[in-house]
Amino acid sequence: MLDCLGYNLLNTIIYIMGVSGCGKTTIGTLLSKETGYPFFDGDQFHPSVNIEKMAAGIPLNDEDRIPWLNSIKDFAEKKVMERSIIIACSALKQSYRDILANIPSANCAFVLLQGTEEILLGRLQNRVGHFMQANLLASQLEILEMPSNALLIHINQTPTKIVEQIIDKLPITLSMQEFGLIGLGVMGKSLSRNFANKGFTLSLYNRFVQGKEEKVAELFIAEFPELHKAKAFENITEFVQSLALPRKIMLMVHAGEATDVLIDQLIPLLDKGDVLIDGGNAHYLDTEKRIERLNKYGIHFIGAGVSGGEEGALKGPSIMPGGSLEGYQLIQPYLERIAAINEHGVNCCNYIGTGGAGHFVKMVHNGIEYAEMQLLAELVQFLKISAGFTNDLIALLLQPFLQTDKASYLLEITIQILQKKWKDEFLVDQILDNAGNKGTGSWTTIEAAKFGVPIPTLTAALNARFISSIWQERRQAASVMLTTTQKQAVNINAVMEAYQLCRIINHHQGFQLIASVSKQQNWEINLSELAETWTGGCIIRSKLMEEIKELIAHSNNLLMHPIILQQCNQSVESLKQMLAAALTNELPMDCFSASAQFLFGYKQADSGASLIQAQRDFFGAHTYQLKEDPTGPFYHTNWQ
């Protein structure tokens, strides 16, 4: 595979070849230590029948060797997708080497270790505990076909000298780290540990700020044993120089200006074909600008949404990469290894599309997340105020629903939160009711407005957070304004039906926004695959998301799917009753109300918009079309 500038960016398989006794294992092991490439001995792939045959002093024939060679080739083809590797294999005939080299996804190099029969025989006679008998050497030398495209090295020198020659002659990057990560905040640290736990060698960089951020990477590495192979840096030039080509660097810094400043520092240090991955919550339009800018230098830029919080980043997040497919393929093995695996064994890292597609879907993911959280907050408040339930009773009532289609990660943690106590009181009731937000919720609403896609449930969740932030005004208003409350009997099953209906509407709005923008941007986002990416590791993983994965494969319009239609028709009465009870208690139900209004408006064949358009025509001559000919001409009326 070549990058857009013609650079070969494939990993390499180095085959150390030659007859028995030439030192393949010794050289392969030493070369592995010097390069960091994993070493595998081809003898381990021999079936027992081959081993028994050689142990009995009987030479192998082609019928014996071909299945063995194919086993090595299949193994190498999988392993080299992750990193460059070294394999010891006799590979005596050209036809054998053709099998081993038939791996389009890798560069294959052969190193032939040569020696006189006298040296080889002496080594074999002194070797202990190997199944290969010394009397088989003659048969191997007889069938050895000298390769025309291999590096030939004589074994009458020390192993160290032999390895030095291999390193000098082959395109090997010495002692370089496989992957770099910049920014050791909460997410950066968790992702670093995840990469290390998967066996990758890391270079970690954190800026130096005297008195505030000193030796952050060094202290972090010392704290966790899994990072023993990682290297710490405070000098960005040394950090970049420590990485193997093509460099793969993940940025975990604040979105916006901080990212651009960092990119400015990196550009002069990078080479064509290197890959930068922005794993933060960047605005997708900023990502597209960075892609365009870095393309001029031949540097790939991938905008990757990462969901799962601190725990998900450590144990396996949901990852949503966007950008050039070519750039993604260079980092695919790394991201897939650290990503979550859902309950069905499916990897939750999925290439989303070109440009800023990855960061766009992460933005909408966060918008859906806002509404999912707000719905739970409203549900709990409803049960507290309208029914008079306590936190522990609410937790008890919600617990069984974790075994139903209403189960989700957020419901699960809500139940845990409701039961947590501090100073003999429920902790949640002592937390200031001022919900923060980092901008992605606002971006979602702004983009929906820009593209003309209604997402009132997601927007209501954002507005609810804004209202929470004026908590001092709310306290003052509560002290002077009258509020009527009236305890009512509550059917928890009906309440949860209403809750599930609002969740469906929330997800429908989010996926409609993604589908609409994907079409206009030519991203060709596969909504079913995206939903599957969100079934493990991420904050909005749920049984509903698993169902959506199946349903949306058949229709982008969730609300019009027969199964969802049935749920809507069955649950709408429960939603109406819940909102009526909330209204009696003057209880704000931002997302429940917004979902209901969306549903009512969605299924209204004739709306009040006719009057609005007539008003627009009255004062502004904006014209109108007729119901009998909705795609026909525009009319203007003199209304006075």
Side-chain angles (χ1 to χ4, degrees), residues 7 82 153 174 199 230 254 268 296 332 404 443 545 558 562 610:
Y7 281 72
E82 302 170 9
I153 297 181
L174 274 181
H254 290 299
K296 297 175 183 177
Q332 182 177 1
T404 71
W443 294 346
M545 191 66 75
L558 278 177
S610 299

Side-chain angles (χ1 to χ4, degrees), residues 379-504:
L379 170 66
V380 170
Q381 281 294 93
F382 177 81
L383 293 174
K384 283 184 177 181
I385 304 300
S386 294
F389 294 166
T390 59
N391 288 331
D392 49 359
L393 178 57
I394 295 171
L396 186 65
L397 290 170
L398 294 180
Q399 186 72 38
F401 290 98
L402 291 178
Q403 308 305 318
T404 71
D405 60 348
K406 300 168 184 65
S408 70
Y409 167 74
L410 285 170
L411 178 60
E412 181 182 343
I413 68 168
T414 296
I415 292 169
Q416 294 179 36
I417 289 169
L418 288 171
Q419 298 173 85
K420 185 73 172 179
K421 287 190 174 183
W422 183 58
K423 296 182 179 179
D424 297 324
E425 300 291 339
F426 290 110
L427 175 57
V428 68
D429 295 331
Q430 301 178 63
I431 295 174
L432 179 65
D433 51 332
N434 179 13
N437 74 93
K438 292 186 176 180
T440 47
S442 302
W443 294 346
T444 306
T445 291
I446 292 168
E447 292 305 309
K450 187 168 74 176
F451 286 96
V453 181
I455 58 165
T457 304
L458 285 72
T459 299
L462 176 66
N463 287 329
R465 294 198 183 192
F466 292 156
I467 293 172
S468 80
S469 70
I470 56 171
W471 59 273
Q472 292 171 307
E473 291 180 50
R474 289 190 289 107
R475 301 282 193 275
Q476 184 179 7
S479 68
V480 296
M481 292 184 177
L482 297 178
T483 300
T484 302
T485 60
Q486 179 182 336
K487 296 290 185 293
Q488 301 180 29
V490 169
N491 182 327
I492 190 64
N493 290 314
V495 167
M496 293 304 286
E497 276 188 12
Y499 164 69
Q500 187 74 349
L501 174 56
C502 292
R503 295 185 64 220
I504 290 170

Side-chain angles (χ1 to χ4, degrees), residues 118 269 460 538 568 575:
E118 181 182 3
L269 306 174
C538 75
C568 288
L575 178 57

Side-chain angles (χ1 to χ4, degrees), residues 378 502 575 579 587-598 600:
E378 292 173 16
C502 292
L575 178 57
L579 289 173
L587 183 64
M589 300 286 280
D590 301 76
C591 282
F592 277 88
S593 298
S595 300
Q597 294 305 319
F598 176 84
F600 300 158

Side-chain angles (χ1 to χ4, degrees), residues 261-273:
V261 169
L262 182 58
I263 290 172
D264 288 341
Q265 293 176 286
L266 287 169
I267 285 175
L269 306 174
L270 299 176
D271 290 302
K272 298 172 183 177

Side-chain angles (χ1 to χ4, degrees), residues 507-508 511-512 515 525-528 531 547-565 602:
H507 285 74
H508 167 83
F511 277 100
Q512 284 295 103
I525 296 174
N526 185 313
L527 297 184
S528 179
E547 183 180 5
I548 288 172
K549 182 259 176 185
E550 300 297 333
L551 299 182
I552 213 163
H554 304 288
S555 171
N556 283 353
N557 191 329
L558 278 177
L559 285 183
M560 294 303 289
H561 192 283
I563 292 176
I564 299 298
L565 274 174
Y602 190 76

